[in-house]
Amino acid sequence: MTSITLRRVDARAAYLGVACVNAIAFAIVVMHRWLTPLPGSEYVHRLVTYEGGLLRRALVGDIYARFTDQVAPWVVRVEGMVAVAVCFGLAMLLFRRCIRGRQADVFALGCLIFGSPLLFKNFIGNLGKFDVLGAIVAMLAILLPLRLATVVLVGLASAALLLVHHIHATIYVPTIYGILLLRMVAQPGGLALRDGALLAASLAVLASLFLYLLFAAVPKVPVEVFLDHIRARAVQHVGDEQSFMWYASLADELPRTFAVLPGHLARLPVYAAIILIHWPVIAFFARRQQRVQAEHPGLGPAWLVVCVVVLGGFLVTNVITFDYARHLGNLAMCFLLLALAQIAAHGGRGEDDSSDIDATNPKVVAAALATAALPWVGVVYPLI
């Protein structure tokens, strides 16, 4: 039984077509986000300030307040696009550092990764949300030299992420510190006691900040006063429901999540299909991790610990919130960065070779085309 493959020249033409489809999909999602009204939940985060004390989800709004009395929606869109562009640039740098090989193979893998509806398209589709900031810090945790200054800088950046939105505690902060742990374990001699203590102390500080933001950093004024304050800085309508995010407790959040859970369960086949079309990338990085962990015995147990923590964080996130489609994209980004961190820490001794992506396999081409054709994965439900 023989396998069917494309000629290399045909594969090159196919991936050029995939790249064109990707460009169209990116254009569609950019135009959609630029031309449709800015969602109120994204806009209101630029209006809340620290005027009445330290509040959760208020750092970005307080920064805006230092430059302008009112916030125009187009400024929020520009801010979001700049953040995605920075993230994309860092990802390109990371990709070039970690992936090498024949140009055609690298191009094919790049189409699969950068064209995924779970990654950068999803950041644009969720323009105005702060997930992209977590990805930026995680990429810096891989790219910067592994020194004390880097750990301190990453710790401060992680604290800033929590002040921007405390949900980072269960999404990107575990990934960021997982990256640092994997890099430290991959060092000659493994994880030093001093490094482990530094990570533990940093995480303890971040955990304390998270708990304070979650339970104590709530407005001390009546809802009406809070709404009047943010509406004074708004140039588009701010509904009464927008105050919920600052006044709600965990007990208030859970019923909303459980109310939409049946809709998510009904869409499990859609979630599975979205994951399945990424199988060439999943298999590619799985092979690399096996090789890296075979040469660094300590990486295997560390990887399992990081996986449990990251997946546990996402489970907590999806119990409390209901943006399952959006968070599926974040989960994909987190595991992609964790895989790249191991390749980067290993020094690319063979693991950066992209030749086994099997770019001439029609199934791989079809997967690349399928990922390219999807503009983005969605916010609450997939493809919505």
Side-chain angles (χ1 to χ4, degrees), residues 121-139:
K121 292 176 187 173
N122 212 41
F123 284 150
I124 298 174
N126 286 282
L127 198 69
K129 296 189 183 296
F130 300 118
D131 306 333
V132 64
L133 301 181
I136 288 173
V137 176
M139 290 178 191

Side-chain angles (χ1 to χ4, degrees), residues 17-374:
V18 169
C20 291
V21 173
N22 265 318
I24 294 171
F26 267 103
I28 289 172
V29 71
V30 168
M31 290 178 62
H32 171 71
R33 273 305 171 209
W34 196 265
L35 298 177
T36 56
L38 184 69
S41 60
E42 279 81 338
Y43 181 57
V44 74
H45 280 85
R46 278 75 181 179
L47 307 177
V48 181
T49 69
Y50 290 146
E51 185 176 324
L54 181 63
L55 299 180
R56 59 194 184 198
R57 307 177 184 228
L59 177 59
V60 172
D62 199 68
I63 293 172
Y64 269 89
R66 297 177 186 277
F67 297 95
T68 180
D69 293 330
Q70 290 188 313
V71 180
W74 69 266
V75 178
V76 180
R77 292 190 178 96
V78 170
E79 172 217 317
M81 289 295 184
V82 169
V84 174
V86 170
C87 186
F88 194 91
L90 289 174
M92 287 291 293
L93 180 61
L94 184 58
F95 183 79
R96 293 187 64 180
R97 179 179 295 186
C98 294
I99 305 297
R100 296 181 178 86
R102 291 177 298 189
Q103 185 178 10
D105 296 325
V106 173
F107 185 61
L109 186 59
C111 285
L112 285 159
I113 293 175
F114 290 96
S116 169
L118 294 170
L119 303 176
F120 300 99
K121 292 176 187 173
N122 212 41
F123 284 150
I124 298 174
N126 286 282
L127 198 69
K129 296 189 183 296
F130 300 118
D131 306 333
V132 64
L133 301 181
I136 288 173
V137 176
M139 290 178 191
L140 290 175
I142 302 174
L143 291 167
L144 294 175
L146 191 58
R147 300 170 182 164
L148 176 61
T150 295
V151 178
V152 173
L153 177 63
V154 168
L156 292 174
S158 298
L161 287 176
L162 295 182
L163 292 171
V164 168
H165 197 314
H166 55 292
I167 200 172
H168 281 296
T170 55
I171 298 181
Y172 278 100
V173 169
T175 299
I176 292 165
Y177 275 80
I179 287 168
L180 292 177
L181 176 63
L182 292 172
R183 292 185 67 189
M184 290 175 177
V185 169
Q187 292 181 115
L191 179 65
L193 180 61
R194 181 191 63 182
D195 293 337
L198 181 61
L199 287 185
S202 180
L203 283 171
V205 172
L206 292 174
S208 300
L209 176 59
F210 167 67
L211 292 174
Y212 177 83
L213 292 170
L214 183 63
F215 295 110
V218 296
K220 305 300 189 294
V221 297
V223 174
E224 295 76 13
V225 176
F226 177 80
L227 286 171
D228 287 342
H229 171 71
I230 61 178
R231 284 169 176 160
R233 304 192 61 234
V235 296
Q236 77 173 36
H237 173 71
V238 176
D240 293 348
E241 71 280 358
Q242 298 302 337
S243 64
F244 179 85
M245 293 178 283
W246 282 268
Y247 285 86
S249 65
L250 288 177
D252 298 323
E253 296 274 7
L254 292 177
R256 288 160 50 106
T257 300
F258 293 140
V260 300
L261 187 58
H264 288 300
L265 294 176
R267 290 168 172 81
L268 282 178
V270 179
Y271 287 112
I274 292 172
I275 295 171
L276 185 61
I277 61 175
H278 291 81
W279 69 265
V281 176
I282 296 171
F284 177 85
F285 283 109
R287 290 191 294 270
R288 261 115 208 102
Q289 288 182 221
Q290 289 177 352
R291 296 177 192 173
V292 171
Q293 292 172 12
E295 295 195 26
H296 291 277
L299 269 179
W303 165 250
L304 288 177
V305 170
V306 171
C307 283
V308 169
V309 173
V310 171
L311 289 172
F314 274 84
L315 177 62
V316 171
T317 301
N318 290 323
V319 167
I320 299 173
T321 69
F322 49 81
D323 291 357
Y324 283 21
R326 164 191 159 209
H327 293 318
L328 177 63
N330 285 320
L331 184 62
M333 176 61 79
C334 288
F335 274 97
L336 172 65
L337 295 179
L338 288 167
L340 289 172
Q342 293 180 75
I343 296 174
H346 188 56
R349 294 190 291 273
E351 284 70 31
D352 56 357
D353 181 16
S354 60
S355 60
D356 65 333
I357 189 61
D358 199 12
T360 59
N361 187 330
K363 293 180 180 179
V364 176
V365 176
L369 184 59
T371 57
L374 293 177

